């Protein structure tokens, strides 16, 4: 009897191992699409909470916090040459966790946080014009008309910028505002209909913006909304829990301080802090044509939150950021249609 029990145990163990190996094989297959390559490091000091925007075939990155100081420096990255060059430093109040976007060849930076000030949350806004004469690229524009805040969401669609959500020191917010750079005016529009959040993100695909991730009172949400600037309407895109991709969707959006990349009409979310409290490297793809979510190859750098992400043409990049007390100055390029190559 003991001998038979030993045979049964060995047989059961072998079956269990085969099952586990089969599951792992399946997970490997779903996560081998997408490849990360380390490229030219960011020129400035390691930092988190920096800002980034693109104009033409160049990306502009700067500001943020290095753990001791707020940083005014500002740089441009030329994807064709792979070089970083110093630009005029930011002349306003130094900050981290601001919002940034670009419209018609100019960048816009505003809001944010500076713990060294009596009023830690900020509402001022600045315009950056790379074509202006040397030393005059920055100028202050109309301040945001909502409450001063940080960890808000900002994006551009067409000729207008949009800013909303965030934390103002007292409240989590859901209000949303539109900025017209021609008239230099802010206009309040329909509020974000999801949970009041901070640390969320937006990405733009075609003529629509999508908002997800973030947290309220320490809890992450499953909210996912589409914004149409033509009608100023919001459409809920949270999938039904019976959808095959619902579990991937939850893992994708239940995080804060993450980043998003839009390439070939698909979005890719990575980084941030998950509901478990862990800083994560996982990557999830969203396809608006099917509304499906799929896991892709995880980010191959150190796990991080409060990074920057930008896309120039079909070239997508993630860099800087923070994990605990460590801050980063590396830059990684993501190629979503390549198979994973561990030697890159």
């Amino acid at each position: 009897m003991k001998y038979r029990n030993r045979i049964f145990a060995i047989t059961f163990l072998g079956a269990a191992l085969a099952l586990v190996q089969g599951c792992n094989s399946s997970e490997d297959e779903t996560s081998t699409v997408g490849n990360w390559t380390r490229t030219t490091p960011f020129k400035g000091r390691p930092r988190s909470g920096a800002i980034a925007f693109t104009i033409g075939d160049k990306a502009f990155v700067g500001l943020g916090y290095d753990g001791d100081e707020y940083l005014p420096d500002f740089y441009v990255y030329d994807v064709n040459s792979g070089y970083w060059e110093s630009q005029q430093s930011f002349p306003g109040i130094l900050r981290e966790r601001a919002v940034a976007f670009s419209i018609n060849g100019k960048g816009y930076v505003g809001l944010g946080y500076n713990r060294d000030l009596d009023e830690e949350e900020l509402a001022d806004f600045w315009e950056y014009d790379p074509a202006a004469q040397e030393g005059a690229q920055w100028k202050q524009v109309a301040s945001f008309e909502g409450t001063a805040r940080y960890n808000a969401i900002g994006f551009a669609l067409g000729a207008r910028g949009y800013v909303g959500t965030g934390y103002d020191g007292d409240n989590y917010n859901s209000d949303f505002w539109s900025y017209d750079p021609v008239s230099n005016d802010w206009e309040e529009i329909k509020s974000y209909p999801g949970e009041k959040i901070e640390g969320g993100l937006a990405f733009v695909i075609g003529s629509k913006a999508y908002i997800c991730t973030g947290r309220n009172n320490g809890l992450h949400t499953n909210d996912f909304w589409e914004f149409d600037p033509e009608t100023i309407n919001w459409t809920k895109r949270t999938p039904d829990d019976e959808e095959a991709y619902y579990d991937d969707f939850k893992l994708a959006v239940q995080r804060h301080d993450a980043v998003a990349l839009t390439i070939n009409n698909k979005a890719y979310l990575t980084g941030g802090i998950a509901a478990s409290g862990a800083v994560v490297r996982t990557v999830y793809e969203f396809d608006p044509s099917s509304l499906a979510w799929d896991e892709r190859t995880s980010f191959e750098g150190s796990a991080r939150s409060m990074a920057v992400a930008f896309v120039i043409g079909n070239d997508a990049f993630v860099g800087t950021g923070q994990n605990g007390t460590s801050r980063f100055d590396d830059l990684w390029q993501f190629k979503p249609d390549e198979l994973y190559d561990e030697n890159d």
Side-chain angles (χ1 to χ4, degrees), residues 304-324:
R304 67 195 63 193
S305 64
M306 291 192 286
V308 297
F310 56 87
V311 177
I312 302 172
N314 291 323
D315 297 314
F317 300 88
V318 173
T320 71
Q322 172 182 354
N323 188 334

Side-chain angles (χ1 to χ4, degrees), residues 142-224:
S143 293
F144 179 64
E145 292 189 15
T147 57
R149 65 190 68 182
Y150 63 95
N151 280 356
I153 287 170
F155 58 90
L157 272 169
R160 302 181 75 94
Y162 297 89
V163 175
T165 70
Y167 183 67
D168 64 16
D170 294 310
N171 300 297
Y172 297 89
N173 295 281
S174 61
D175 58 332
F176 242 84
W177 299 74
S178 170
Y179 175 68
D180 182 349
V182 176
S183 62
N184 193 29
D185 286 329
W186 291 90
E187 176 186 1
E188 188 169 11
I189 61 174
K190 290 180 182 178
S191 295
Y192 174 62
E195 289 279 348
K196 299 176 180 180
I197 54 170
E198 58 93 14
L201 61 76
F203 54 85
V204 173
I205 301 178
S207 62
K208 307 290 178 60
Y210 299 83
I211 291 178
C212 59
T213 72
R215 60 178 178 173
N216 181 314
N217 294 292
L219 298 178
H220 294 81
T221 77
N222 282 343
D223 288 336
F224 183 41

